[in-house]
């Protein structure tokens, strides 16, 4: 199991929202819809922006990944660094995942091409993703997403969303349980931990996402996702935790392009896969 199971393989997202209320936090009453809105509106294109950019334009973060094989009671761990740039009316979604341990691996996309580089194998898998990330044809308010990052602006349309049984973690962050409405081969449940401080800022700002971003006490709160846990139909789980977050900083285009090293084998998957 690797990040592609979460990011690319089968996250054709699906669903609706079930109303529920969280317990008040201090003097602020926070409901399920507030938590969902904090996530979705952070990534939704802003019609007031001249390029249709979302409030959360870029993110860079460290990540720690833990995968558990239920049948073998075996755990695998990995870590690395993530870079992400939201789509606009001019540019597609771009991302980069650099794995440092246990094996080096690079997953890079400029929104037109996806590179998966495995240095140990001296091999790069090269895919055309133009049909997936074209900003002129993909509408997050209308279209089902093909991966988790692309689906963040529309989780309430793609999943049945409720609070997880514990509702909040030990630090008071909100835990959402997402169930696909249509069966998928890759995912049975998805759990998303949402930063309580970002949600509280959203509610205190009159539920105005622009005002929320202007009032955030710490810039890392702009990325509301603290962790995700995917559970497949065999009970295997993959958890990714984010830390050392920096949001809305300038990221060079070169981060999202991959220079294929000399002597590396290039593999192109058949069209339609």
């Amino acid at each position: 199991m690797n990040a592609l199971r979460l990011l690319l393989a089968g996250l054709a997202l699906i669903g609706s929202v079930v109303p529920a209320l969280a317990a008040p936090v201090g003097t602020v009453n926070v409901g399920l819809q507030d938590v969902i809105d904090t996530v979705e509106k952070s990534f939704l294109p802003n019609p007031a922006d001249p390029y249709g950019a979302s409030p959360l334009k870029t993110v860079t973060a460290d990540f720690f990944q833990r995968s558990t094989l239920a049948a073998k009671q075996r755990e695998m761990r990995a870590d690395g660094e993530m870079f992400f740039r939201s789509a606009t009316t001019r540019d597609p979604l771009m991302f980069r995942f650099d794995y440092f341990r246990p094996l080096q691996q690079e997953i890079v996309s400029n929104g037109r091409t996806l590179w998966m580089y495995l240095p140990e194998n001296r091999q790069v898998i090269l895919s055309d993703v133009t049909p997936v990330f074209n900003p002129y044809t993909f509408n997050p308010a209308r279209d089902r997403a093909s991966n988790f990052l692309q689906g963040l602006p529309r989780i309430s349309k793609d999943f049945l969303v409720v609070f997880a049984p514990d509702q909040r973690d030990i630090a008071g962050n909100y835990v959402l349980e997402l169930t696909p409405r249509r069966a998928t081969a890759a995912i049975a449940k998805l759990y998303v931990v949402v930063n309580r401080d970002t949600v509280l800022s959203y509610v205190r700002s009159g539920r105005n996402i622009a005002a929320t971003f202007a009032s955030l006490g710490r810039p890392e709160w702009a990325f509301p996702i603290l962790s995700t846990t995917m559970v497949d139909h065999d009970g295997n789980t993959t958890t990714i935790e984010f830390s050392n977050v920096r949001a809305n900083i300038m990221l060079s285009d070169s981060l999202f392009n991959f220079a294929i090293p000399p002597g590396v084998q290039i593999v192109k998957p058949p069209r339609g896969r």
Side-chain angles (χ1 to χ4, degrees):
M1 297 172 65
N2 56 46
L4 287 185
R5 294 198 64 179
L6 182 62
L7 301 174
L8 301 168
L11 283 185
L13 311 176
I14 27 238
S16 60
V17 178
V18 171
L21 290 177
V25 179
T27 59
V28 179
N29 289 311
V30 176
L32 174 65
Q33 193 62 52
D34 293 320
V35 183
I36 294 169
D37 286 347
T38 300
V39 175
E40 290 187 330
K41 291 182 179 180
S42 295
F43 296 92
L44 272 175
N46 179 7
D49 186 275
Y51 303 115
S54 64
L56 188 53
K57 298 174 178 62
T58 67
V59 175
T60 176
D62 296 335
F63 69 86
F64 172 76
Q65 179 178 312
R66 182 173 64 255
S67 301
T68 302
L69 300 177
K72 298 183 179 180
Q73 291 296 300
R74 177 184 171 194
E75 183 177 276
M76 295 169 288
R77 298 186 177 191
D79 61 38
E81 189 172 12
M82 175 196 78
F83 303 89
F84 164 73
R85 182 188 288 174
S86 297
T88 69
T89 54
R90 300 187 310 174
D91 298 308
L93 169 75
M94 303 182 192
F95 57 85
R96 180 185 189 102
F97 279 75
D98 291 334
Y99 281 79
F100 303 146
R101 286 172 291 269
L103 297 174
Q104 288 188 339
Q105 182 178 4
E106 297 175 48
I107 303 171
V108 184
S109 177
N110 61 8
R112 299 168 181 83
T113 301
L114 173 72
W115 297 269
M116 290 180 56
Y117 177 46
L118 309 170
E120 187 178 55
N121 297 345
R122 300 294 294 169
Q123 182 183 85
V124 61
I125 301 173
L126 188 153
S127 304
D128 178 12
V129 293
T130 304
V132 177
F133 296 124
N134 189 332
Y136 300 105
T137 58
F138 180 79
N139 182 341
R142 176 196 64 209
D143 301 324
R144 289 173 59 192
S146 62
N147 67 75
F148 180 67
L149 292 173
Q150 194 178 38
L152 287 170
R154 50 171 292 127
I155 59 171
S156 63
K157 294 181 176 66
D158 297 331
F159 286 93
L160 172 70
V161 183
V162 297
F163 280 119
D166 291 336
Q167 192 164 299
R168 293 202 294 271
D169 66 10
I170 193 170
N173 301 300
Y174 299 98
V175 186
L176 298 178
E177 178 182 297
L178 286 68
T179 305
R181 185 176 181 182
R182 299 179 187 177
T184 70
I187 181 170
K189 295 278 187 183
L190 182 66
Y191 295 90
V192 180
V193 179
V194 183
N195 191 318
R196 68 184 295 273
D197 295 302
T198 314
V199 176
L200 292 177
S201 293
Y202 171 70
V203 175
R204 288 170 176 152
S205 299
R207 295 176 171 83
N208 181 307
I209 197 65
T212 301
F213 273 63
S215 67
L216 288 173
R218 297 172 62 179
E220 63 267 29
W221 294 351
F223 184 57
I225 309 297
L226 295 176
S227 71
T228 63
T229 298
M230 186 197 73
V231 184
D232 70 14
H233 297 283
D234 295 321
N236 303 314
T237 64
T238 298
T239 297
I240 299 182
E241 301 172 352
F242 300 100
S243 61
N244 298 324
V245 175
R246 292 185 295 164
N248 289 341
I249 63 172
M250 291 293 295
L251 295 179
S252 170
D253 289 346
S254 63
L255 278 171
F256 306 105
N257 287 283
F258 182 76
I260 299 176
V264 170
Q265 180 188 12
I266 299 174
V267 178
K268 295 183 178 181
R271 287 185 177 274
R273 294 190 181 181

